[in-house]
Amino acid sequence: HELVLGIEIRPKLVEYVQKRIVALRHEASTSEPDGSATSMPADLQPTYDNVWSIHHNAMRFMPNFFEKGQLEKLFICFPDPHFKRKNHRKRIISQPLLAEFGYTLASGAILYIITDVSELMEWMVGRLTESPLFDRLPREALRADPAVPLLIHTDEGSKVQRNNGNMFIAAFRKREDPTAPREDPVLLGNDEAAAAASDAGYTPEAGGELRGKSW
């Protein structure tokens, strides 16, 4: 199994996730396969031993946790939008931090972003698009990626769905050679990111698609 590590700055949320993981591990260790035709083989049953969450600041210490090129996927899910202009420098997607993320990502690894805030999505997509480290994946690639539908089913994603809010999804692949010449990348608007969320399984009901535009 691949290792999965969640890094979160809010200690209560980390404690909640850790308790859920422990409960899932206990359930997996005590449950018996039901023997049905649809039952998963015992060696493929999830044990959740490869999953954990820690309390830390990923914006400050990412290179302390991971070696160069160690990560195959990096998920940035519903980050703090820091609405005030003076706090935009605190947003998790910025050119300095993209350099650190690029350091930890393997060549060809994918960085996923999801938010329910329209203006923040434009900000993140803009900086990732102009970065020489990444190329944006087209919708066809996202539709074929089994990780993408999981983004809308996080706790925060479920909350957005209950409130009939927006969701925007995009993914960027780390370039093998950031110095290699390329055509100027096209900056796509939020319609593309909203369509990616729709492809993943969520479309707000009429009126909901206007909510994020005022945030």
Side-chain angles (χ1 to χ4, degrees):
H1 296 297
E2 301 290 347
L3 297 179
V4 181
L5 178 66
I7 302 177
E8 170 59 49
I9 200 169
R10 294 167 292 181
K12 289 186 177 180
L13 183 55
V14 172
E15 182 181 3
Y16 167 73
V17 172
Q18 289 177 345
K19 287 181 177 179
R20 286 190 63 179
I21 294 172
V22 170
L24 288 167
R25 288 177 179 176
H26 176 74
E27 181 180 340
S29 66
T30 56
S31 62
E32 295 289 339
D34 58 18
S36 66
T38 58
S39 178
M40 189 178 296
D43 59 335
L44 296 180
Q45 293 282 346
T47 63
Y48 303 98
D49 291 334
N50 62 320
V51 180
W52 195 241
S53 177
I54 60 172
H55 171 223
H56 235 297
N57 188 342
M59 295 177 63
R60 296 183 62 186
F61 300 109
M62 278 285 286
N64 295 49
F65 289 104
F66 306 107
E67 298 176 354
K68 182 178 181 180
Q70 183 177 357
L71 300 181
E72 295 181 3
K73 296 181 184 293
L74 176 60
F75 299 87
I76 298 178
C77 302
F78 300 98
D80 191 330
H82 292 293
F83 288 112
K84 294 182 179 180
R85 183 176 296 274
K86 68 178 182 180
N87 290 330
H88 285 183
R89 59 186 175 81
K90 297 180 180 180
R91 288 178 168 175
I92 195 167
I93 295 294
S94 65
Q95 293 305 337
L97 284 173
L98 287 181
E100 293 195 3
F101 297 155
Y103 175 86
T104 62
L105 288 167
S107 178
I110 301 176
L111 188 158
Y112 302 81
I113 56 175
I114 181 171
T115 181
D116 58 332
V117 180
S118 177
E119 187 272 332
L120 177 62
M121 191 64 180
E122 292 173 349
W123 167 282
M124 295 193 294
V125 166
R127 276 141 189 82
L128 281 159
T129 299
E130 68 186 18
S131 171
L133 295 172
F134 298 96
D135 286 326
R136 186 170 185 169
L137 294 178
R139 278 178 62 192
E140 321 73 271
L142 271 62
R143 283 194 289 263
D145 188 337
V148 173
L150 302 178
L151 297 172
I152 68 172
H153 293 298
T154 62
D155 283 355
E156 191 65 29
S158 297
K159 177 183 176 182
V160 172
Q161 294 186 55
R162 289 194 300 270
N163 293 330
N164 193 35
N166 290 318
M167 272 195 271
F168 306 101
I169 295 175
F172 293 78
R173 187 186 302 277
K174 184 185 174 184
R175 302 178 68 206
E176 292 188 10
D177 181 5
T179 65
R182 64 173 177 176
E183 295 183 5
D184 290 339
V186 177
L187 178 60
L188 301 175
N190 279 351
D191 287 346
E192 183 79 4
S198 182
D199 292 340
Y202 174 70
T203 305
E205 297 177 4
E209 70 275 7
L210 299 178
R211 290 172 52 90
K213 296 185 184 300
S214 61
W215 291 348

